[in-house]
Amino acid sequence: MQKWARLLYQPALPLYEGKRTTSSPEHIDISRRTAVEGMVLLKNTNYVLPLDINTKIVLFGKASAEYIKGGGGSGDVSCKYVRSLYDGLKLKGVKVFEPLIDFYKMELKEQYEKGYVPGLTKEITVPSDLLESATKFSDVAIVVLNRYSAEGWDRCDIECNNEFDPWPPKPSLPKLSGKVFPKGDFYLSFAEEEMIKTVTDSFKNVIVVLNTGGVIDCRWIRDNDKISAALLMGQAGMEGGVAAAEILLGLENPSGKLADTYAGRITDYPSTESFHDSFDYVEYTEDIYVGYRYFETISDAASKVVYPFGYGLSYTSFKEEVVRTQESDEGFYIDIRVTNTGNRKGKDVVAIYASAPRGKLGKASKVLADFAKTKELFPNESVVIPLHVKKYLLASFDDFGRICEAAYVLEAGRYEFYLGSDVRNALKIDFCFELESDEVLCRLTHKLVPVELSKRLLCDSSYEEMPRGAHRDINESFIKRMSPGTEEAIAPEVRHVDRHLLMNNLKEGASPLIDVAKGKITVDQFLAQLSDDELIFLLGGQPNTGVGNVYGFGNMPEYGIPNAQTADGPAGIRIDKETGIVTTAFPCASVIACTWNREIAREVGFAGGEELKENNLCVWLTPAVNIHRNPMCGRNFEYFSEDPYLTGKMAGELVSGIQENEVGACVKHFACNNKETNRKHSDSRVSERALREIYLKAFEIIVKEAKPYTIMSSYNAINGVRASENKELLTGILKEEWNFDGLVMTDWWCRSEQYREILAGNDLKMATGFPERVKEAMELGALKRSDLLPCAKRVIETILKF
């Protein structure tokens, strides 16, 4: 097939001869295996699990008939089927109490007709006669609970409607959430509490399964002796119910570990206090103390943890021992021998945590420094796992110049290391590193300095006041901005082409882009023949073609530039059902993170990349790597973890897998998109240090190691400047410090001004550009042709990669 044939002609051809790979049995099995490895066994008193396959089971909770495969919005995927826990158990031949399932289905249908949506339905009270029949059927009950969240709102009843909205009216999900969960969906609803009490009072063996995409209160699981076992199923894609059934029945051994800290109350997370203080801004006053960095460091916080970061049980046991340590110039090599000491085959997660001196800058008590997952080990089998801890990861960014201004520094003192997947119970190893004097690893310059952040948390539990500067207007512009909301849902212009001879598709005298691909001319020479108007056109989104539904870029047939289509869906390639094409629904990123398995993340990426390419699409808008700063963020299901290193490494493998297919990944949302409410106007106020060490770190790892084709800037502002207009972020850090040579695109229909984005280094405006506004800025002298050329060059260079 010739270069760009899939872009130019949209052939409906399989990627491989004679067989379509999209939603193939092989890809669906990758989804199932990922789900298995990402589920976390939270509790297993007296080894009630695994269940015998002949055990009769009563399923309680409307979620047993209402499985949520993933979150909503751009993260949703159209797939050929979805299998719940009920479906999975039935496929394995387990006898389930059917009358209760039938009852739940009937009641749910009524709720849907009243406007409730899956995952935002009320728990259903079971009639006494049905309960009595269930107790006679079996003494084993599985309680299934679910939660649902989506793009555009957070896990609460608060919503912001402060601008024009062109979308058709639809039910308010925040209001519906508040109706179903009066205390907030972090907690059990009153109906759920009553249902759990009824079940635990009526059945000898009670098991809980959580079909949730984010953290919830689990004290009621840990503290209730009547609950024998609990499995965090997560939102595990189309085969999630099968994977959960296989774990419950012992056909698979659970090996997932938590990628977040599970605390008991939403107020235990320091970011909760000011999460909804304002629609206009969010203060990141907890600074670097996010997730376990807070709970393991700040006094009195440890007791608030129900299940710590890295926690997860298995049906077997493992012994971990250090067999080699070695220091190098840039880090430390630590080899770990893992032995399966139990009587079942299984996989183990090996992690090294590092502890640095608190010094002048202050540090978290431990940070994840490296990790790996073993292959499946049989009883008494051993394997040696090499881990590598980089000194750069242990360094602190000195934003106040206490040691060295705007530099990454290692402070003098002892650096100790801990072995174990769980941050709370990891054990100190004999090896340590002693640094006699402070060491500067990397000198940079100040960027994205906050001017309205009031204070930040220190490791001794106190706060320090932050220097204040002049207020920055996030709507500053040389030309009058559009009325907020009028940019929304605008489709790109379909260009007019005059009648012409069939054989004369190219502009007269033009050199086509294929000449660049063949090495006949350079990109600069190619762009030199384009007018200013044509350059501007290149910097905006283009109409859909084929099965594309979120627009493309390029699209200048008169120069032989194809229209490269993008695709949504971090949990799979999202194609509209109307096309007749269904794709593989993989587990959400929050489940993939809990696998702690880099290889399986790469498999998911490669499979998704195959489906992208087979359907003539070019850029998969994934992975989303924003940090789980607070459980309330409505999009946490789409993000990986509270830890930037785990996020960066797992998402980086996903990117590498995708791009093995010579199609692009788009890493998003750059940066600090940690709240959905009023996300297109909210200012994230955060220190330089927290930015560097927490919120930019995953992006940095991915850019440097996986080299993504594209990055998506976020809707929000950062310290008073909109992300897509932020030159210090997009040019200073991303391109100059990290040497990113790919394309930067906006998130869809952002509220930024395109000429300011071009000046900042944001190359492409999606879903459509506004060429008339860019030309106005040029006429007023705010923009020059020389500003357009670097952005246009990156658009062309990206298309050349496909």
Side-chain angles (χ1 to χ4, degrees):
M1 193 179 287
Q2 72 179 48
K3 190 171 181 67
W4 300 320
R6 287 187 178 274
L7 285 70
L8 292 168
Y9 309 116
Q10 298 288 315
L13 292 176
L15 192 60
Y16 306 114
E17 188 174 348
K19 181 181 180 182
R20 274 185 67 81
T21 188
T22 301
S23 198
S24 63
E26 293 82 3
H27 283 190
I28 291 172
D29 190 58
I30 291 172
S31 180
R32 181 197 62 82
R33 289 190 288 109
T34 306
V36 166
E37 292 210 25
M39 293 185 185
V40 182
L41 185 61
L42 299 175
K43 185 176 183 178
N44 195 18
T45 306
N46 298 324
Y47 304 102
V48 69
L49 293 178
L51 299 171
D52 187 278
I53 201 164
N54 295 313
T55 304
K56 293 180 181 180
I57 293 175
V58 181
L59 290 172
F60 279 92
K62 49 91 178 179
S64 59
E66 186 190 56
Y67 168 60
I68 307 300
K69 74 179 188 302
S74 66
D76 199 8
V77 182
S78 298
C79 51
K80 65 176 67 171
Y81 63 80
V82 173
R83 286 181 173 149
S84 66
L85 176 58
Y86 167 73
D87 297 326
L89 291 170
K90 293 292 288 183
L91 282 170
K92 299 302 174 183
V94 175
K95 292 181 180 179
V96 176
F97 185 60
E98 299 287 352
L100 190 50
I101 296 295
D102 294 338
F103 170 74
Y104 282 133
K105 288 179 178 178
M106 178 183 66
E107 292 289 319
L108 284 168
K109 183 181 178 182
E110 290 185 10
Q111 290 197 44
Y112 299 152
E113 290 171 352
K114 294 176 181 177
Y116 291 87
V117 298
L120 289 176
T121 48
K122 294 183 177 181
E123 191 52 69
I124 301 163
T125 302
V126 177
S128 57
D129 58 337
L130 202 52
L131 176 63
E132 184 179 355
S133 297
T135 58
K136 292 176 181 177
F137 180 80
S138 176
D139 64 354
V140 177
I142 298 179
V143 175
V144 189
L145 301 181
N146 63 16
R147 293 292 185 269
Y148 175 78
S149 63
E151 181 179 6
W153 60 285
D154 292 305
R155 291 174 54 190
C156 61
D157 61 358
I158 296 172
E159 60 183 330
C160 179
N161 300 308
N162 62 357
E163 65 174 21
F164 171 73
D165 183 359
W167 296 99
K170 55 187 176 183
S172 166
L173 296 183
K175 285 190 173 69
L176 189 56
S177 177
K179 187 176 181 181
V180 174
F181 301 102
K183 296 182 288 182
D185 80 343
F186 184 84
Y187 300 103
L188 295 176
S189 69
F190 297 114
E192 286 174 332
E193 289 176 347
E194 186 61 32
M195 183 260 292
I196 290 164
K197 184 178 188 308
T198 297
V199 175
T200 53
D201 287 346
S202 305
F203 289 82
K204 178 181 177 183
N205 294 304
V206 178
I207 299 156
V208 172
V209 174
L210 301 177
N211 174 208
T212 56
V215 176
I216 67 169
D217 171 23
C218 289
R219 288 172 297 170
W220 57 277
I221 293 174
R222 180 196 62 186
D223 299 338
N224 190 340
D225 292 337
K226 293 182 178 180
I227 295 175
S228 304
L231 178 70
L232 174 61
M233 177 188 197
Q235 294 175 342
M238 61 192 297
E239 286 279 282
V242 175
E246 289 174 339
I247 289 175
L248 295 173
L249 298 171
L251 304 174
E252 296 280 2
N253 194 342
S255 61
K257 308 293 181 183
L258 293 181
D260 293 294
T261 303
Y262 276 57
R265 297 175 177 83
I266 190 67
T267 52
D268 291 337
Y269 297 87
S271 52
T272 299
E273 183 179 1
S274 59
F275 192 83
H276 280 304
D277 271 2
S278 172
F279 288 145
D280 297 328
Y281 63 86
V282 181
E283 286 205 291
Y284 288 49
T285 55
E286 73 283 357
D287 206 53
I288 64 169
Y289 301 101
V290 178
Y292 71 85
R293 285 169 167 79
Y294 171 81
F295 291 106
E296 303 302 316
T297 305
I298 303 302
S299 60
D300 300 325
S303 61
K304 301 173 182 178
V305 175
V306 179
Y307 296 116
F309 176 85
Y311 174 85
L313 303 176
S314 172
Y315 294 153
T316 190
S317 56
F318 298 94
K319 179 182 178 183
E320 300 171 351
E321 53 188 336
V322 178
V323 295
R324 184 183 78 103
T325 58
Q326 181 180 336
E327 182 184 348
S328 66
D329 289 341
E330 90 302 338
F332 313 95
Y333 294 95
I334 304 174
D335 293 352
I336 310 298
R337 180 184 291 115
V338 182
T339 304
N340 184 343
T341 57
N343 56 13
R344 285 177 174 267
K345 62 182 180 180
K347 296 184 178 184
D348 187 28
V349 170
V350 183
I352 288 288
Y353 294 88
S355 175
R358 291 197 169 186
K360 298 176 183 176
L361 302 181
K363 293 289 282 186
S365 66
K366 294 192 193 92
V367 297
L368 179 66
D370 201 16
F371 67 93
K373 197 168 200 175
T374 68
K375 65 176 184 176
E376 193 166 60
L377 298 176
F378 287 85
N380 300 316
E381 185 180 5
S382 298
V383 66
V384 174
I385 302 293
L387 299 178
H388 184 213
V389 178
K390 292 184 178 180
K391 291 179 181 177
Y392 179 63
L393 185 70
L394 307 182
S396 304
F397 185 77
D398 186 358
D399 52 1
F400 277 10
R402 291 182 170 124
I403 295 170
C404 183
E405 192 88 14
Y408 277 101
V409 298
L410 289 173
E411 294 198 66
R414 173 171 290 193
Y415 291 76
E416 298 178 327
F417 302 93
Y418 298 77
L419 172 62
S421 65
D422 164 357
V423 66
R424 176 67 53 85
N425 298 302
L427 300 175
K428 187 163 67 173
I429 66 174
D430 290 338
F431 177 72
C432 67
F433 167 65
E434 199 82 43
L435 189 62
E436 293 184 0
S437 59
D438 298 334
E439 181 179 335
V440 177
L441 296 187
C442 179
R443 293 177 186 266
L444 300 168
T445 58
H446 288 291
K447 295 182 180 71
L448 289 90
V449 177
V451 293
E452 293 185 277
L453 177 65
S454 61
K455 61 182 180 180
R456 68 174 173 188
L457 182 63
L458 303 177
C459 64
D460 64 0
S461 306
S462 67
Y463 286 86
E464 70 175 347
E465 297 298 311
M466 296 293 287
R468 305 296 288 268
H471 171 75
R472 292 170 181 155
D473 180 7
I474 67 170
N475 294 316
E476 179 186 346
S477 177
F478 200 73
I479 61 177
K480 185 178 179 181
R481 288 187 183 258
M482 299 173 69
S483 178
T486 57
E487 313 95 330
E488 187 76 16
I490 302 295
E493 178 182 355
V494 178
R495 295 168 72 220
H496 170 74
V497 179
D498 290 329
R499 288 194 300 271
H500 60 280
L501 287 173
L502 179 64
M503 65 288 295
N504 292 344
N505 285 326
L506 288 177
K507 188 172 183 177
E508 186 176 353
S511 296
L513 185 58
I514 195 68
D515 285 354
V516 180
K518 292 178 177 179
K520 294 181 180 180
I521 59 173
T522 65
V523 174
D524 291 331
Q525 290 169 330
F526 176 81
L527 291 174
Q529 63 187 329
L530 273 64
S531 68
D532 289 354
D533 284 356
E534 288 168 332
L535 289 174
I536 293 169
F537 176 81
L538 263 183
L539 307 186
Q542 298 300 318
N544 291 322
T545 59
V547 298
N549 58 47
V550 286
Y551 308 107
F553 57 96
N555 191 35
M556 296 182 74
E558 66 271 35
Y559 289 100
I561 303 174
N563 189 348
Q565 292 291 296
T566 64
D568 245 333
I573 309 302
R574 186 163 69 85
I575 296 174
D576 285 341
K577 292 179 181 178
E578 290 79 5
T579 65
I581 293 176
V582 292
T583 60
T584 306
F586 298 102
C588 291
S590 57
V591 175
I592 294 174
C594 288
T595 70
W596 292 59
N597 186 335
R598 303 185 201 196
E599 289 75 19
I600 209 160
R602 196 179 189 107
E603 276 193 76
V604 170
F606 185 77
E610 287 182 314
E611 298 195 9
L612 188 79
K613 188 171 186 175
E614 183 169 73
N615 290 288
N616 309 322
L617 305 166
C618 293
V619 176
W620 187 8
L621 304 177
T622 193
V625 299
N626 298 99
I627 294 299
H628 291 175
R629 175 177 177 257
N630 187 281
M632 279 196 291
C633 177
R635 219 164 171 180
N636 277 354
F637 67 90
E638 195 174 325
Y639 306 148
F640 286 76
S641 171
E642 67 188 27
D643 183 76
Y645 184 77
L646 180 63
T647 296
K649 289 294 185 177
M650 294 295 291
E653 291 295 335
L654 196 79
V655 169
S656 296
I658 293 167
Q659 295 186 172
E660 283 182 44
N661 294 281
E662 295 182 312
V663 292
C666 183
V667 187
K668 59 186 186 182
H669 309 87
F670 194 57
C672 295
N673 188 168
N674 305 104
K675 176 183 172 182
E676 288 295 288
T677 306
N678 200 35
R679 59 187 175 158
K680 296 186 179 182
H681 298 285
S682 181
D683 181 21
S684 296
R685 298 174 178 176
V686 56
S687 76
E688 286 184 87
R689 183 180 181 189
L691 263 174
R692 297 274 192 173
E693 294 185 25
I694 304 295
Y695 299 102
L696 301 185
K697 185 60 67 178
F699 290 97
E700 180 182 5
I701 291 168
I702 296 165
V703 167
K704 290 180 176 179
E705 297 181 4
K707 303 189 183 308
Y709 286 10
T710 70
I711 296 280
M712 184 190 293
S713 55
S714 57
Y715 287 127
N716 55 282
I718 304 172
N719 291 331
V721 181
R722 292 181 182 273
S724 62
E725 298 178 353
N726 199 315
K727 188 170 184 177
E728 292 185 354
L729 177 70
L730 302 181
T731 297
I733 293 177
L734 179 61
K735 294 173 181 176
E736 294 175 354
E737 290 184 15
W738 299 350
N739 297 313
F740 175 68
D741 60 0
L743 169 73
V744 179
M745 64 178 73
T746 67
D747 205 340
W748 270 227
W749 301 300
C750 67
R751 303 299 186 255
S752 302
E753 190 61 58
Q754 190 175 4
Y755 89 87
R756 287 175 59 86
E757 293 171 338
I758 292 167
L759 291 172
N762 196 113
D763 309 305
L764 180 67
K765 190 168 189 68
M766 295 298 284
T768 180
F770 292 91
E772 70 281 3
R773 300 182 65 77
V774 177
K775 283 190 278 188
E776 181 185 352
M778 290 190 75
E779 290 165 1
L780 293 171
L783 198 66
K784 303 183 294 294
R785 178 182 174 89
S786 59
D787 299 315
L788 304 176
L789 283 167
C791 297
K793 185 174 184 178
R794 285 187 284 268
V795 171
I796 293 300
E797 287 175 339
T798 301
I799 292 173
L800 287 166
K801 294 176 182 178
F802 301 135

